[in-house]
Amino acid sequence: MLLKFFKDWTLLIAMTAGALLYKYTGYISFLTPYLIFTMLLLTFAKLSPSDIKFSKFHGWLLFIQLAGSLTFYFLLRIFDAELAAGAMICVMAPTATSAAVITGMLGGNVAFLTTYTLISSVAVVFAAPAFFSFVGVHSDIPFLDSFLFIAKQLVPLLVLPLLIAWAIRRYSPSLQKIMLKINKASFYLWTVALMIVTGMTVNFLAEQENPQYKLEVWIGLTSLFICSGQFILGRYLGRRYNGDAVSAGQGLGQKNTILAIWMAQSYLNPVSSIAPALYVVWQNLINSYQLWKKQRNGRLE
């Protein structure tokens, strides 16, 4: 009973704990990249190379993800740089590893979504260092130096879990079985990571010397617009060009927000991390609505 309650209210519990303990989360914030690495490793342990089947539609979704992030940045930079950076990270962030679970529950194509999750994650490895070199906190140093500095931290975080998982699958089946048995541990790792990044965001808001409440409200509203817009656009394109509205909608809309918040806090102005932090709330509200509608009507359309 207690475990079920915890799972049902994980989002609220983790974010509330992070908000209440924001003065202390800084002491364990160094764990965030390790938690992300482990979550990805456990997720990729379930993924066989034979499951990866690329399609032209994957390429179009990736184009929207990367080109859309730059488009939002340059459009909103006219009004405010932090607002633009927050919007950029919400579009650029790769698909959440948990999106495959929601896709399956909604009746979508899990194999298609799993492939896109991998594609979008690898793409961010190369795109993020380039983007952040121009707009992030390291934009004042030479491009190549900035690119290599950021890539050195992101490549191991996003690529090594996949390579290690596939190496274990190939050379140590017994270890892979153990990883599959403890796969649910990624749920609890996600909870801890969510608590940490929420606490870091709240700590920034609480300790800021010159509060910019109007800007922060606009960042939150922009995050809501982008989140809902990506779900709607993905479903429209998927229905029209791929015959599967669900997987395309989740592929564009459901983001790896833990990674997005961490990247924003590490490489951008911390105020921009408000956008992905609130994106957590928006996407979970949308997913909850979709699941409720699916259970009530038996379909989403």
Side-chain angles (χ1 to χ4, degrees):
M1 182 68 70
L2 183 60
L3 184 60
K4 183 178 184 304
F5 172 83
F6 181 72
K7 284 189 174 183
D8 291 343
W9 296 93
T10 298
L11 174 69
L12 181 60
I13 293 173
M15 297 188 76
T16 301
L20 294 175
L21 302 173
Y22 72 89
K23 291 185 177 180
Y24 308 101
T25 52
Y27 295 112
I28 57 174
S29 61
F30 70 93
L31 293 175
T32 305
Y34 299 102
L35 292 171
I36 295 172
F37 182 97
T38 307
M39 285 188 288
L40 290 175
L41 179 63
L42 292 175
T43 299
F44 290 144
K46 300 183 296 183
L47 182 64
S48 168
S50 61
D51 295 331
I52 306 302
K53 295 180 175 61
F54 300 104
S55 71
K56 185 184 295 186
F57 192 60
H58 284 127
W60 282 111
L61 291 181
L62 184 61
F63 174 79
I64 292 171
Q65 176 185 333
L66 299 181
S69 63
L70 288 178
T71 300
F72 269 102
Y73 176 77
F74 286 113
L75 285 176
L76 296 177
R77 189 179 63 172
I78 301 171
F79 304 101
D80 187 87
E82 280 72 39
L83 174 64
M88 179 187 74
I89 200 75
C90 285
V91 182
M92 183 183 67
T95 304
T97 54
S98 60
V101 177
I102 302 297
T103 298
M105 295 173 68
L106 294 174
N109 187 331
V110 175
F112 175 91
L113 192 282
T114 301
T115 300
Y116 185 67
T117 301
L118 175 60
I119 294 172
S120 66
S121 297
V122 173
V124 168
V125 171
F126 301 99
F131 291 3
F132 296 160
S133 295
F134 287 111
V135 306
V137 294
H138 303 288
S139 59
D140 58 339
I141 63 178
F143 169 76
L144 184 59
D145 293 343
S146 176
F147 179 88
L148 293 176
F149 175 81
I150 298 170
K152 184 172 65 175
Q153 299 179 64
L154 284 182
V155 170
L157 183 67
L158 296 179
V159 176
L160 276 184
L162 176 66
L163 299 179
I164 293 174
W166 282 356
I168 291 173
R169 171 183 286 271
R170 175 68 176 82
Y171 298 106
S172 183
S174 57
L175 178 56
Q176 188 207 12
K177 289 181 180 179
I178 295 175
M179 292 172 65
L180 293 176
K181 287 182 179 179
I182 64 171
N183 194 265
K184 291 183 178 179
S186 59
F187 170 80
Y188 301 102
L189 296 176
W190 175 82
T191 302
V192 176
L194 180 59
M195 181 191 72
I196 293 174
V197 295
T198 300
M200 295 296 290
T201 302
V202 172
N203 182 68
F204 167 77
L205 293 174
E207 301 296 332
Q208 57 185 332
E209 295 181 0
N210 299 303
Q212 298 174 284
Y213 297 125
K214 185 177 180 179
L215 170 62
E216 290 155 7
V217 169
W218 275 111
I219 290 176
L221 292 175
T222 301
S223 173
L224 173 60
F225 173 79
I226 290 176
C227 181
S228 56
Q230 289 187 119
F231 273 101
I232 292 170
L233 178 61
R235 290 185 61 82
Y236 170 78
L237 295 175
R239 184 185 302 110
R240 182 165 183 176
Y241 298 107
N242 197 48
D244 181 9
V246 171
S247 59
Q250 299 306 122
L252 277 186
Q254 189 170 346
K255 299 293 189 177
N256 187 334
T257 47
I258 302 297
L259 177 63
I261 298 170
W262 177 75
M263 288 193 299
Q265 292 173 345
S266 301
Y267 304 113
L268 303 174
N269 188 307
V271 72
S272 65
S273 67
I274 297 172
L278 287 175
Y279 199 105
V280 180
V281 179
W282 310 142
Q283 76 175 10
N284 277 278
L285 288 174
I286 291 173
N287 280 336
S288 297
Y289 170 74
Q290 290 186 123
L291 291 170
W292 170 80
K293 191 173 182 180
K294 172 75 173 177
Q295 293 171 354
R296 183 182 181 187
N297 303 329
R299 60 188 180 91
L300 282 175
E301 311 300 338

